[in-house]
Amino acid sequence: MTLEQTLPICVAGTWRLGGGERYATCYPATGEPVAWLNAASLEDVELAVQGAHQAFLNSGWAQRKPHERAAVLYRIAEAIRQRSEELAQLQRQDNGKPINETRALVASAAGTFQFFAAACETLEETITPSRGDFVSMSVYEPMGVVAAITPWNSPIASEAQKVAPALAAGNAVVIKPAEITPLLALQLARICEDAGLPKGLVSVLPGKGSLLGDALTRHPLVKRVSFTGGTRTGKHIAHIAADKMMPVSLELGGKSPTIVLDDADLDHAVAGVLYGIFSSSGEACIAGSRLFVARSLYEPFMQHLVAAAAQLRLGDPADEGTQMGPLISAAHRESVERYVALGLAEGGRLRLGGERPSGGLFDQGYFYPPTILEGLDNHQQVCQEEIFGPVLVAMPFDSEAELVEQANDSLYALAAGIWSRDYKRAWALGRKLQAGTVWINTYKQFSISTPFGGWRDSGLGREKGRLGILQYMEQKSLYWGMSQQPLAWAGVEARP
Ligand code: NDP
C-alpha cells in the first residue's frame, strides 16, 4: 500500500471505500500519516449488518460441523503466524507500541484463533440427569450477528479475543475498531477471507464510535455486543442493550492496586511493579497504577524502584531495545499531563518524571516518561481515576486491614498484584481483594485459557477461557420423550 492510496474497508464481503469522511491514521512516534481511508458511514453499518445476517443464514457456516469450522480457524492462526512480522510492524505504526510488544500481541492473536479452534471442536453438549420419562439435554446455538467494538491500545489481540470465539460459535461478526487504529482489523478481515471463511461473515467498520458503534449496538439484527473500552462508553452500551434485552460483555477500565508486603523479594517486586505500570506506557486496562508498600519497607523500596524506573528505555518503537514508546495521541498526552498537574495540586510530590522529554524523535511524537507520584491519599482523584498512562501513585500502608480497605476502595475492580514470600499470607490477602484477576509474585501475565474480566465499573462478563465460546451462543434445553404412553394429563389412552 502507498500513502496516496485510500484504503478500502470490508463491508459485507466487499472491499470498497467507506461512505464516510476521508481521514489519516498517524504514527504516534512522529505524528506522520500511515494510511488514508474513508470512515464507514451509517449506510455501511446497515449493509454490514444485513450482509452478516445473510451470511449467517445462507453461508452454511453455522451448520458446519465444529471440526470443520475449527479447520478454518486453525488456518487463520497459521496465516497470522506466517505474516507476523509484517503485522507487528504495521501495528507498531498503527498505535506506536514498541516492536517487541506488537510482536507479542500478534503472537497472542494467532494463539487465540488456535485456542478457540480447539475449544470449538471439543465443546461438549451435555445429557443432563433425567428426572422423568425423557432424555434431557443442554445444547448451544449460535446467536447470529455479533458486534465487536475494540479500543486502540491492543489492536489485533483485542479483535482476535472477540472474533475467534464468535466465529467458532458459528456467528457472523461486525468489527468496529477504534477510529485511530483500524489497520490491523482490516488485515484480520483479509486473513479470514484468504483462509476460506465465507464472505460477509466478517466486516470492519472504521470510524467514530459515537456514530458507528452506537448504531451497531442499537441495530435489531445485532444479537450481542462484545465491547472493550472505557467505562463511560461501556455503560452507554449497557443501557442500549437493556432496552433490547441483548446480552453484552464489557471489558472496561481499571485502577489496579499492586501491593508490596514487608516480606517481599524486593528485586522481583521492583521488576513486577515497573512492568505492571510502565509497559505499554501505562496504556493498559490492567496497569498496576496504585502502589501500596509496607511502611517499614517504603523508603528503601522506593529508592530501588525510582532508580530502576529512571533506566527504562523510552524511545523509538522500531528499536528492539525500546521498552516504552509514545502515547497514542497528542490529546491523550495532554490528558495524562493534566492528571499529573492535578496530583501535584492535590499535594502530591514527584519522585520521577512529570515532564515531556525533548530532542530528536521526542519533539515529534507524543512521548511521556515514567512518572512516580507520592504523598497522596487513596481517596484523591489521581488515585481513583484511570489515567491510562505511565503514572504510578505510591502510598505506604501500616496494617493489612487498612491496606485491604484502601485497595478495595475504588469504583474499579479489574486486577491486583501482591508481592510476598509468604504464600499463606498472600493467599489470604488475595482472597480478600475485589478484582477479576489477582497476580501473586507476578503481574500482567495472561493466558487465553484463563477467564478475564472485571467486577463493578471494570466490566461485565468474562472473555477467554475454554468456555469463553459460550458467551457467543444461546443455551437450549432439549427433551426427548421416551414413554410408551401418552402424557397422562389429557387422559388419552395409548392405542394397542
Ligand atoms: P472508548 O470507550 O472511548 O472506545 C472504545 C471503543 O468504543 C472504540 O472503538 C470507540 O470508537 C467506541 N465507542 C466510542 N463511543 C461509542 C458509543 N457511543 N457507542 C459504541 N461504541 C463507542 O475507550 P478508549 O478508546 O479511550 O480506550 C481506552 C479504555 O479502554 C480505557 O478505559 C481502558 O481501561 C479500556 N480497556 C479495557 C480493557 C479490558 O480488557 N478491560 C482492555 C483495554 C482497554 P472510537 O474510538 O472510534 O470513537
Side-chain angles (χ1 to χ4, degrees), residues 293-314:
V293 185
R295 194 177 294 277
S296 60
L297 261 191
Y298 184 79
E299 196 41 44
F301 182 84
M302 289 303 289
Q303 283 181 17
H304 193 167
L305 183 81
V306 169
Q311 299 303 314
L312 291 173
R313 292 180 299 275
L314 173 72

Side-chain angles (χ1 to χ4, degrees), residues 178-428:
E179 181 185 24
I180 50 179
T181 58
L183 302 182
L184 274 291
L186 290 166
Q187 290 299 320
L188 183 60
R190 287 262 187 223
I191 287 171
C192 289
E193 206 174 286
D194 294 348
L197 189 77
K199 275 183 178 288
L201 282 177
V202 171
S203 286
V204 181
L205 303 175
K208 286 210 183 325
S210 51
L211 182 74
L212 307 174
D214 187 272
L216 255 184
T217 306
R218 291 180 195 279
H219 201 292
L221 287 176
V222 170
K223 302 300 181 197
R224 177 176 196 99
V225 172
S226 177
F227 171 80
T228 299
T231 297
R232 188 181 305 168
T233 317
K235 287 185 177 177
H236 174 77
I237 287 173
H239 275 113
I240 300 172
D243 277 345
K244 284 173 69 180
M245 286 297 283
M246 172 180 70
V248 282
S249 47
L250 304 171
E251 300 287 353
L252 309 177
K255 192 76 188 177
S256 301
T258 329
I259 295 160
V260 181
L261 297 181
D262 54 11
D263 60 1
D265 178 320
L266 288 199
D267 292 335
H268 282 241
V270 165
V273 170
L274 291 178
Y275 181 62
I277 179 65
F278 297 127
S279 59
S280 311
S281 296
E283 293 173 328
C285 53
I286 32 97
S289 48
R290 287 185 296 151
L291 172 64
F292 294 96
V293 185
R295 194 177 294 277
S296 60
L297 261 191
Y298 184 79
E299 196 41 44
F301 182 84
M302 289 303 289
Q303 283 181 17
H304 193 167
L305 183 81
V306 169
Q311 299 303 314
L312 291 173
R313 292 180 299 275
L314 173 72
D316 187 345
D319 287 350
E320 299 283 337
T322 294
Q323 289 162 298
M324 292 172 63
L327 298 181
I328 188 71
S329 65
H332 185 55
R333 179 168 64 174
E334 282 162 22
S335 156
V336 170
E337 286 173 328
R338 276 196 299 277
Y339 271 114
V340 173
L342 176 68
L344 296 174
E346 282 182 316
R349 297 180 299 275
L350 273 173
R351 285 288 295 241
L352 185 72
E355 256 184 54
R356 285 184 193 189
S358 59
L361 202 59
F362 291 151
D363 293 338
Q364 298 173 49
Y366 316 122
F367 292 89
Y368 198 77
T371 295
I372 302 177
L373 283 165
E374 66 177 2
L376 290 157
D377 285 333
N378 186 57
H379 67 266
Q380 286 174 303
Q381 218 174 324
V382 281
C383 302
Q384 290 292 322
E385 295 182 12
E386 186 182 42
I387 300 175
F388 219 60
V391 181
L392 177 69
V393 186
M395 292 166 275
F397 68 88
D398 291 305
S399 73
E400 271 189 45
E402 169 210 328
L403 163 73
V404 169
E405 197 186 311
Q406 290 192 42
N408 288 338
D409 179 17
S410 167
L411 287 176
Y412 297 111
L414 189 60
I418 300 170
W419 298 89
S420 168
R421 283 197 172 93
D422 181 339
Y423 71 91
K424 291 181 187 166
R425 198 176 167 201
W427 163 264

Side-chain angles (χ1 to χ4, degrees), residues 47-117:
L47 284 172
V49 175
Q50 292 289 354
H53 181 60
Q54 289 308 319
F56 174 71
L57 292 180
N58 302 324
S59 70
W61 177 248
Q63 289 72 38
R64 283 194 203 179
K65 299 281 180 287
H67 68 280
E68 294 167 343
R69 287 204 298 273
V72 177
L73 298 188
Y74 285 124
R75 285 204 292 276
I76 296 173
E78 200 39 46
I80 294 174
R81 287 199 180 102
Q82 278 171 7
R83 293 179 52 188
S84 58
E85 186 59 21
E86 169 207 340
L87 293 169
Q89 295 291 355
L90 186 64
Q91 170 129 347
R92 169 182 64 78
Q93 293 178 299
D94 206 23
N95 80 343
K97 282 195 171 185
I99 185 64
N100 284 321
E101 217 176 300
T102 62
R103 284 186 187 128
L105 289 170
V106 171
S108 138
T112 299
F113 274 94
Q114 179 180 324
F115 181 84
F116 281 110

